Amino acid sequence: PVEKKMVLEAKIFSNDTLKANTGISGFGYDIYRDKALYIHQPNIPAVPGYKGFRSPDDALKVASVMQYKIQENILPPSISIAELDSLGVGR
């Protein structure tokens, strides 16, 4: 049987647009798996506190790594400080 490959899509958002007033600024990302919300990430993972990404580009870099890990079945997908640094993601 042919295995169906999952469809992953990342969407970047500004935390200012969230309905829940969390007081967090910056950007975050959502990852959809087969059109269903799979990960909602308004803050920078692996970083203490609750701080959004500085730019949409930073959020997209991390979302892309997470998509890769999900696609490769590296679960649960996570990111380390070293990976953030190697991507050039500001904290």
Side-chain angles (χ1 to χ4, degrees):
V2 175
E3 195 174 311
K4 182 185 167 216
K5 194 138 180 144
M6 73 183 96
V7 176
L8 295 173
E9 180 185 9
K11 293 184 180 179
I12 307 305
F13 59 84
S14 170
N15 282 311
D16 298 340
T17 63
L18 295 180
K19 288 182 181 161
N21 185 1
T22 59
I24 186 173
S25 62
F27 298 87
Y29 63 84
D30 288 331
I31 294 180
Y32 292 83
R33 180 178 173 177
D34 297 325
K35 298 186 181 181
L37 182 61
Y38 188 64
I39 295 175
H40 175 68
Q41 190 69 52
N43 59 303
I44 306 172
V47 175
Y50 202 62
K51 189 169 136 185
F53 292 94
R54 291 182 185 173
S55 70
D57 189 51
D58 280 358
L60 184 59
K61 287 177 188 177
V62 175
S64 296
V65 170
M66 299 306 267
Q67 285 178 285
Y68 169 79
K69 289 182 177 190
I70 294 164
Q71 199 73 53
E72 296 301 314
N73 210 28
I74 301 168
L75 301 172
S78 62
I79 196 140
S80 67
I81 295 290
E83 287 173 305
L84 291 174
D85 290 345
S86 73
L87 291 169
V89 172
R91 307 184 250 134

